[in-house]
Structure formats: C-alpha cells, structure tokens
Amino acid sequence: MILVGSSVWIDYFNGVRTPQTGWLDAALGQEVLAMGDIILTEVLQGFWRDTDYKRARRLLLRFPVFEMWGQEIALKSAEHYRFLRKKGITVRKTVDVVIATFCIRHDIPLLHDDRDFMPLEKYFNLRAVEI
C-alpha cells in the first residue's frame, strides 16, 4: 500500500508531468494506493469548477481513506516537529509532519514531491517511493 501526497495529486489533476505524476499514472489500477483525510481535503479544496471537484472526489474516494489525526499521531507529530526545529530545520506546513508521522507509524511508503518530507526521511525513516 502506498499513500500519495497532496502535491502529487494536485500536479496530476493539473496535468503537470513530473516523475511522481508519471509513477502515479502508471500505478493507477496496478498498485494498492491509499488516501488520507488530510490529503483529501488539501486536494479537493483546490478545485474551482464543480464538475472537476465531483470527478476528482469520485476518483479519490475509490481508495481507502485513512483518518490521519488522533491523539497518538498529534503528539508524535509535535515531537517530530520539535526535534527538527532543534536541528535548525523548519517544516513549512504542520500538515506535512502529520502525514509523515502517520506513514512512519503505520509503515506506509509515501509518494511525494515536497522537500519538507526529506528531513523526516533522514531522521525518522519515512519511507518514500523510489522513482
């Protein structure tokens, strides 16, 4: 099972060609992909047209959707963020720390295209999909 990050889905729906969107396109129907509730929100809130929103919503809800928030993940995410900050690394979005912490906790690889996940790979063994 692989969790696909918001930035990859957003690029995919916008037709942006990257190694990650290429991987995603090839994986659809071939790999077991998962969705997180936070990611679902981030992706769907960006659609302007109702028809695009409904089509994307229908597609994304075909995947298992995990509830990513909760006390355990919230506390561990705060620990991860504080650890990185003490090392002089500031992750720009708290939500990225939550997504990474969820993946680390459940040993789920993450397909992403976001530099904020790199310190979490380095210090906490977040497994990223190799492209």
Side-chain angles (χ1 to χ4, degrees), residues 82-100:
R82 293 181 70 248
F83 175 90
L84 292 172
R85 192 174 61 201
K86 287 177 185 177
K87 294 229 173 261
I89 301 166
T90 302
V91 177
R92 295 173 294 167
K93 295 188 292 181
T94 300
V95 70
D96 288 343
V97 179
V98 173
I99 291 167

Side-chain angles (χ1 to χ4, degrees), residues 52-78:
D52 294 337
Y53 167 83
K54 289 175 184 173
R55 187 175 67 236
R57 183 179 187 274
R58 199 169 34 254
L59 170 71
L60 296 174
L61 289 178
R62 290 181 183 167
F63 304 111
V65 178
F66 291 106
E67 293 182 12
M68 302 182 92
W69 287 103
Q71 181 176 331
E72 177 190 359
I73 297 297
L75 292 171
K76 197 66 174 172
S77 295

Side-chain angles (χ1 to χ4, degrees), residues 23-128:
W23 189 97
L24 175 58
D25 193 48
L28 289 169
Q30 304 299 315
E31 297 281 343
V32 178
L33 303 176
M35 174 62 53
D37 55 358
I38 300 166
I39 296 167
L40 187 63
T41 300
E42 285 190 312
V43 174
L44 291 177
Q45 71 188 5
F47 286 96
W48 287 93
R49 293 182 8 190
D50 289 343
T51 55
D52 294 337
Y53 167 83
K54 289 175 184 173
R55 187 175 67 236
R57 183 179 187 274
R58 199 169 34 254
L59 170 71
L60 296 174
L61 289 178
R62 290 181 183 167
F63 304 111
V65 178
F66 291 106
E67 293 182 12
M68 302 182 92
W69 287 103
Q71 181 176 331
E72 177 190 359
I73 297 297
L75 292 171
K76 197 66 174 172
S77 295
E79 290 174 19
H80 287 162
Y81 186 91
R82 293 181 70 248
F83 175 90
L84 292 172
R85 192 174 61 201
K86 287 177 185 177
K87 294 229 173 261
I89 301 166
T90 302
V91 177
R92 295 173 294 167
K93 295 188 292 181
T94 300
V95 70
D96 288 343
V97 179
V98 173
I99 291 167
T101 301
F102 177 87
C103 288
I104 293 163
R105 167 65 180 88
H106 297 284
D107 196 29
I108 299 173
L110 177 64
L111 176 64
H112 71 85
D113 190 15
D114 188 329
R115 66 185 169 137
D116 282 328
F117 289 109
M118 291 177 178
L120 292 139
E121 290 175 37
K122 179 179 178 179
Y123 291 105
F124 302 107
N125 298 317
L126 169 65
R127 290 194 306 142

